[in-house]
Amino acid sequence: CQQLFCSPLGTSRAIRPMLKRGHPCDGDTPVKAKQHRRVASTPQEEVSLEPEEGLQHSRSAQHEEIRSLPDSNNQELIGDFSKAHLLPTVKGKDPSLKYISPDTLVAVLSGQWSSFIESSITVDCRYPYEYEGGHIKGAVNLPLQQDVEQFLLDQPILSLDTSKRVIIIFHCEFSAHRGPKMCRFLREKDRSCHEYPQLHYPELYVLKGGYRDFFLQYPTHCEPQDYRPMEHGAFQEELRQFRCQSR
């Protein structure tokens, strides 16, 4: 009897506090004694309790399924599960992230999505000497995690029009390591600030191919119109210093 009424719902982290407040498992209480008599009286009465318990199991399973949804390429909803991703995505190295092509970024920068986007922020995660040697017009240089926290989380950029979106697009030189890593970092920090699944920035993207591919295809959208690689021979000391800071 205790197994029947001390439901396995107690194993759900999301619902356990409610159970502690509202459903004490005390076999000597009048309520428990009444439940015991109902179950023990006839098989018909025992069966009559099953649909309610089944409904509770179903709700618990659905709740746990929502909580366990990964931010993956197979999940087409944005991070707070409120709507689908706006921008068309392409396959990338990390299946947990959403990648867009240089063509899509140019469309965003050109205002082709302005009726749906209130604000788009392109985050250049390369080191400052790379950024100064050539970057996407309008991109902000945030090479370190503390830079991202200060710029995006200390005073979050929120949409004043609830029908429009704020999107963040990360990239580095190739979008193979630094850009994706910073994208995951922002999502993790954003999650820690909210009750699940709410987020300041539910819609994050990574520019596939990074600055290199973007510059090769759209140099007129870069300033200055140049490309300085991370391994540039004249900036080895700066590279060493920033790698130490990144660790």
Side-chain angles (χ1 to χ4, degrees), residues 99-168:
Y99 291 80
I100 62 170
S101 67
D103 295 342
T104 298
L105 179 54
V106 169
V108 172
L109 297 175
S110 302
Q112 296 182 28
W113 298 88
S114 60
S115 59
F116 302 98
I117 298 174
E118 179 167 311
S119 181
S120 64
I121 300 97
T122 304
V123 177
D124 189 331
C125 301
R126 297 176 301 157
Y127 303 137
Y129 67 86
E130 298 174 82
Y131 178 86
E132 293 164 2
H135 59 268
I136 298 170
K137 290 181 180 180
V140 293
N141 187 211
L142 306 176
L144 302 175
Q145 291 181 349
Q146 55 261 38
D147 299 328
V148 169
E149 286 192 82
Q150 182 178 3
F151 187 86
L152 293 174
L153 294 177
D154 284 358
Q155 292 184 328
I157 302 169
L158 305 177
S159 177
L160 299 178
D161 184 346
T162 55
S163 67
K164 292 189 176 183
R165 312 182 188 209
V166 174
I167 65 171
I168 315 292

Side-chain angles (χ1 to χ4, degrees), residues 162-206:
T162 55
S163 67
K164 292 189 176 183
R165 312 182 188 209
V166 174
I167 65 171
I168 315 292
I169 302 165
F170 291 86
H171 78 84
C172 53
E173 184 175 4
F174 307 106
S175 287
H177 178 66
R178 290 175 289 175
K181 181 180 179 181
M182 201 69 79
C183 183
R184 291 190 294 268
F185 170 78
L186 177 60
R187 174 55 53 81
E188 178 183 348
K189 283 293 181 180
D190 202 358
R191 283 271 187 236
S192 69
C193 297
H194 293 87
E195 181 178 350
Y196 186 90
Q198 298 174 0
L199 292 164
H200 286 313
Y201 305 107
E203 195 156 0
L204 307 179
Y205 298 95
V206 174

Side-chain angles (χ1 to χ4, degrees), residues 41-147:
S41 57
T42 64
Q44 289 79 7
E45 291 183 9
E46 182 175 356
V47 171
S48 68
L49 295 177
E50 292 179 357
E52 181 179 356
E53 184 179 357
L55 180 59
Q56 291 174 341
H57 277 293
S58 175
R59 288 173 179 170
S60 175
Q62 290 174 358
H63 193 80
E64 283 300 315
E65 182 179 0
I66 290 174
R67 285 189 59 84
S68 64
L69 283 172
D71 297 318
S72 69
N73 211 35
N74 296 323
Q75 173 58 36
E76 295 305 319
L77 299 179
I78 61 177
D80 61 3
F81 312 124
S82 62
K83 56 180 72 72
H85 284 83
L86 175 65
L87 303 182
T89 58
V90 294
K91 187 176 181 180
K93 180 179 179 181
D94 187 339
S96 70
L97 302 175
K98 293 293 184 181
Y99 291 80
I100 62 170
S101 67
D103 295 342
T104 298
L105 179 54
V106 169
V108 172
L109 297 175
S110 302
Q112 296 182 28
W113 298 88
S114 60
S115 59
F116 302 98
I117 298 174
E118 179 167 311
S119 181
S120 64
I121 300 97
T122 304
V123 177
D124 189 331
C125 301
R126 297 176 301 157
Y127 303 137
Y129 67 86
E130 298 174 82
Y131 178 86
E132 293 164 2
H135 59 268
I136 298 170
K137 290 181 180 180
V140 293
N141 187 211
L142 306 176
L144 302 175
Q145 291 181 349
Q146 55 261 38
D147 299 328

